Amino acid sequence: MLLQNGRVIDPSSGLDGQADILVVGGRVKAVGTVKERDLPPGCKTYDLGGLWVTPGLIDMHVHLREPGEEYKETIASGTMAAAAGGFTAVACMPNTSPINDSQGVTSLILARAVGASARVYPVGSISKGAKGEELAEFGEMKTAGVVALSDDGVPVVNSQLFKRALEYSGNYDLLLISHSEEIFLSRGGAMNDGSVSTRLGLRGIPSAAESIAVYRDIALAEYTGRPVHIAHVSTGEAVDLIRRAKSKGCRVTAETAPHYFTLTDQDVGNYNTNAKMNPPLRSEKDRLEMIRGLQDGTIDAIATDHAPHSRLEKDKEFDQAANGIIGLETSLPLSLELVRVGIIDPVRLIELMSVNPARILGVEGGTLKEGCIADITVIDPEKKFVFAAEGIRSKSRNSPFIDRELTGKAVMTILGGRITHSELA
Amino acid sequence: MQSDYVFRHKHLLSMEDLSVQDISFILQTAESFKEISTRAIKKVPTLRGKTVINLFFEPSTRTRLSFEVAAKRLSADTFNISASTSSATKGETLVDTARNLEAMHPDIIILRHSSSGSPDLLTHHLQSSVVNAGDGTHEHPSQGLLDLMTVKEGKGGFAGLKIAIIGDIAHSRVAHSDIIGFTKMGAEVFVCGPATMIPPYLEQFGAKVCRSVQDAVADADVVMALRIQRERQLDPLIPSLREYASFFGVNEKLLNLAKPDALIMHPGPINRGVEIDPGVADGPRSVILDQVTNGVAIRMAILYLLMGGD
């Protein structure tokens, strides 16, 4: 296929300008001006004038719920949602049922992902059963296909175990992704500790529950010389700690999610369980610090923490409702808002949503260089749409953005030369 | 009050939802109902044919009985469901329980629940009116209203009054409703307790947080002691009840700092000798049992007004 006249934004090759991209055999054959005589027979041409053509977006933090909770999401439905959101690859966290702590579960996930609408990169658990007691079989899981390790959903409370995990992961060159939470501070909390939690009478989670744990993770990464990636950063203090660690040369990377730079704890309103997540929505000050971290490079990636839950888990008392929201289909428009208001430029956006996730995870993608895999996202940055419940591809509907008008959308997603989503005529 | 005022609420979820006019009107209505409880025949036909369900998922003596007495004095049919006898023990969700009750066409569901916001949740699933009889650590508006009524009776009004609330503010839904209600009506509320029991940003309700209990009580017109809500705490928030009683207990010595005619209040149940001295609780300035009496009148007024007041 020939993608013609689009604004090609590829930070990996320093390209930001109008160009054509020729895809042949699932790979990028040529970037620049493609002449008609170079087109293979039967080549389909798409005129993408006015649209952005970028490396396929990569979400390094999603929950696909399969195996175990297929009523919330499956690998098929989750990757369809990913494709609709412009993603060509997702890294799925191990807190399935059973937990992905063995090569058997990893292999099952990868088997179910064959033919899916996005590449699926399993993340194995750090500890057996994510119980924080014994190391899981890193080597076996790596052989089966995991790209990183995390007990996401719960922190590794035992600092000794976390240190050993950092050390042992070095044998297999696997990244540790930390769910940084000091659970004695957060225990029983339903939302951010602040004026809204007091008004609603809900137990609060202080921001220090995150920063204390982030500091520990950074200290151990520095001590062991191993890299650590901090998941779903939500507080200004954590951003500041990561910034300082980076300035000292510590091997730390970090992600935040669109809800943390778009919403605050005020959006919990009157017990809206679709605004309940862990870490919780924080204060306006924290939200602004998240944006600053995205601007200055402290935060490396935008990930969704896509966490599907059915009505069974959300339509209940706030303190008993499940944490998490879906995010694959809203991540791009919410992130594009940062571009629209001039906080970041399109190149930085693609770094955050494609180049850096690929680099951090060590997976292919994040580039449109000639010869690379043809994972491509075509974005209409001005397309307005209402995020309606009935159009959601995910099996779950737990989003605080439902019925909100959003601007900017993936209008075509290409996975290895195959179109997985298209809104083009 | 403006003559064109109409009470328009379908539910009673919080003191926060009520305007000054709403509160004044409820108090005025309750005052007119109070007399019914002193009659030989303590019953009027006002809510005849109406069905009121007390759905209580937490233990309660006075609140549940108070609502039941109030409903019966207005001739409503009342039914009580408690957690131990409900299908919640079989795993039924609150929403499903409510939907099943709704199918029996009640007019009012009075809910007490350990989760803040649970009455709000019910309103999204029910046509009936919902009354919050205490939700988690959020609010207990009918208790707040009866406290307002008791102070109004004792002091004639609210403007310029200093109300001191001492104890476990963070876990007290009564304190939240009281702070909002009293400040809305023009009184000043000073709170004090162990710092582990003071929630953040309490000032947003207009409360003044004191570091010393003496500062809170000095020249107070009303002193309210709160029970330590140990059942709502995950961990102990104070070293011992003995230390608490010494430093935060409402006793005669502390009350010497308050105005001589200060009212002594407590939402109950009382832990004598902990948050309040027995002599103070039973003393001449105590209006603790008046609060209970006024509770019935307030709840009669609430049920009456939610049903349209005709």
Side-chain angles (χ1 to χ4, degrees), chain A residues 184 187-189 193-203 270-271 311-312 314-320, chain B residues 16 94-95 99 113-118 120-121 125 135 137-138 171 176 199-201 204-205 232 234-235:
Chain A
F184 289 98
R187 189 163 67 102
D193 194 34
S195 64
V196 183
S197 65
T198 296
R199 178 173 70 81
L200 296 177
L202 293 169
R203 204 180 296 278
N270 273 341
Y271 307 99
R311 283 180 56 192
L312 285 173
K314 283 292 194 182
D315 198 6
K316 60 202 307 188
E317 300 89 319
F318 192 92
D319 58 354
Q320 294 175 36
Chain B
E16 203 180 7
L94 176 61
V95 170
R99 281 188 179 137
H113 199 284
S114 59
S115 293
S116 300
S118 45
D120 183 86
L121 175 68
H125 298 277
D135 62 329
T137 54
H138 175 225
H171 296 92
H176 292 173
Y201 299 97
Q204 70 186 320
F205 300 131
R232 296 197 193 117
L234 289 176
D235 311 296

Side-chain angles (χ1 to χ4, degrees), chain A residues 224-404:
Chain A
T224 58
R226 289 287 304 155
V228 69
H229 177 79
I230 311 295
H232 42 56
V233 173
S234 73
T235 72
E237 298 105 304
V239 173
D240 195 44
L241 285 166
I242 294 161
R243 184 180 291 120
R244 279 191 275 166
K246 281 188 165 183
S247 73
K248 288 195 313 184
C250 179
R251 297 171 70 189
V252 59
T253 54
E255 73 192 31
T256 190
H259 39 273
Y260 297 122
F261 58 76
T262 306
L263 306 175
T264 69
D265 56 0
Q266 298 286 340
D267 290 287
V268 172
N270 273 341
Y271 307 99
N272 178 7
T273 56
N274 279 337
K276 187 184 182 201
M277 60 268 303
N278 185 30
L281 295 174
R282 301 288 188 182
S283 68
E284 176 65 6
K285 186 164 171 276
D286 290 306
R287 188 184 77 84
L288 295 174
E289 285 299 315
M290 240 24 69
I291 288 172
R292 199 168 144 231
L294 289 166
Q295 258 181 325
D296 70 10
T298 302
I299 295 175
D300 303 88
I302 294 173
T304 63
D305 196 359
H306 177 80
H309 290 294
S310 78
R311 283 180 56 192
L312 285 173
E313 290 83 17
K314 283 292 194 182
D315 198 6
K316 60 202 307 188
E317 300 89 319
F318 192 92
D319 58 354
Q320 294 175 36
N323 286 310
I325 64 169
I326 55 169
L328 284 165
E329 294 167 75
T330 50
S331 181
L332 179 60
L334 294 172
S335 304
L336 275 166
E337 187 63 25
L338 300 178
V339 177
R340 202 170 358 269
V341 298
I343 289 168
I344 56 173
D345 62 21
V347 171
R348 174 70 181 145
L349 178 80
I350 301 309
E351 282 176 356
L352 288 162
M353 297 190 74
S354 178
V355 179
N356 291 351
R359 173 178 54 82
I360 294 166
L361 291 175
V363 299
E364 61 185 345
T367 179
L368 292 175
K369 284 181 183 165
E370 286 179 15
C372 75
I373 199 93
D375 286 0
I376 301 170
T377 302
V378 180
I379 297 166
D380 181 345
E382 303 302 330
K383 182 165 183 168
K384 290 190 189 304
F385 70 105
V386 173
F387 185 57
E390 52 271 24
I392 292 174
R393 270 73 162 191
S394 173
K395 273 193 168 186
S396 295
R397 302 283 181 272
N398 52 314
S399 169
F401 301 109
I402 285 175
D403 292 334
R404 192 183 273 210

